[in-house]
Amino acid sequence: MSRIEPKLFVVSGPSGAGKGTLVALARKRHPSLGLAVSATTRKPREGEIDGVSYFFLSPDEFKRRVDANEFVEWAHVHGNCYGTLVSEVRRNFDKGSSLILEIDVQGALQVKEKFPDSVLIFIKPPSLEELEQRLVGRGTETPESIALRLENARGELALAERYDEVLVNDDLETACSGLLRIIDAYERN
Ligand code: ADP
Ligand code: 5GP
């Protein structure tokens, strides 16, 4: 029988591709999968809870933590700072199960440098038109923020080839099964 080995999975893709939705569904089906809560200087959206959705930090507090080496990685994304705290990675690994980081492409490449065994998974939308529709449909962004996210999507999509796995999130159920298959395959390797 093959052994299950906890792994670090990094999920990236353009804003609106469906990363959050997909990861939440995958975690319902695979409840032991941990998810690191990132820190950000972005303002909370309606319904977001500090310490659950993100650790919402002021720019000064974020900088203090960068200077104190408290981040595994961090990056400027869509006009704000986002980062993965060392404490979050430790907290999850102490539980002995696999961990997902849902972070941008710059952060993902930093994680791969530090942890070569990590598995980078890129989530693609079926098309840029569908990406725009999802961002509009989510109803969380201003028109300016949508424009910025769509502009950044092109550069992000160009980096998909540096990922270990690429998954198209067209039908949600199919994409979720695909994500769980990838996780299972790497945990057994
Ligand atoms: P991300 O985390 O990548 O920014 P979200 O998970 O917030 O993206 O998804 C963006 C929007 O698209 C949400 O309104 C979500 O309900 C919707 N969505 C996600 N996956 C799909 C899918 N496979 N088909 C249609 N809509 C989707
Ligand atoms: P949002 O503002 O929509 O929640 O997230 C915007 C972008 O920030 C997404 O591409 C998301 O993957 C990225 N992001 C979220 N957390 C982190 C993090 O800890 N580090 C990095 N580098 N990017 C992150």
Side-chain angles (χ1 to χ4, degrees), residues 7-11 19-20 23-24 27 31-40 48-56 70-73 82-95 97-104 107 111 115:
K7 288 265 178 193
L8 181 58
F9 294 98
V10 180
V11 170
K19 302 177 298 293
V23 167
R27 292 183 71 227
S32 65
L33 264 179
L35 178 67
V37 178
S38 294
T40 183
E48 285 186 328
I49 301 168
D50 190 28
V52 178
S53 319
Y54 280 103
F55 295 105
F56 293 101
E70 289 187 26
F71 287 104
V72 173
E73 62 73 33
Y82 293 79
T84 306
L85 292 161
V86 174
S87 55
E88 271 297 290
V89 174
R90 286 223 182 96
R91 184 176 68 77
N92 278 282
F93 266 124
D94 286 350
K95 293 183 193 156
S97 44
S98 288
L99 171 63
I100 297 185
L101 306 183
E102 201 197 304
I103 65 178
D104 94 306
V111 170
F115 304 102

Side-chain angles (χ1 to χ4, degrees), residues 14-21 102 130 134 138 169-172:
S15 178
K19 302 177 298 293
T21 307
E102 201 197 304
E130 173 67 16
R134 287 184 188 174
R138 191 168 70 184
N169 178 23
D170 190 351
D171 173 66
L172 185 61

Side-chain angles (χ1 to χ4, degrees), residues 112-132:
K112 190 72 171 180
E113 286 243 315
K114 282 195 183 161
F115 304 102
D117 279 352
S118 60
V119 182
L120 305 193
I121 306 171
F122 194 92
I123 310 294
K124 271 189 175 175
S127 65
L128 285 173
E129 290 72 27
E130 173 67 16
L131 184 67
E132 182 168 7

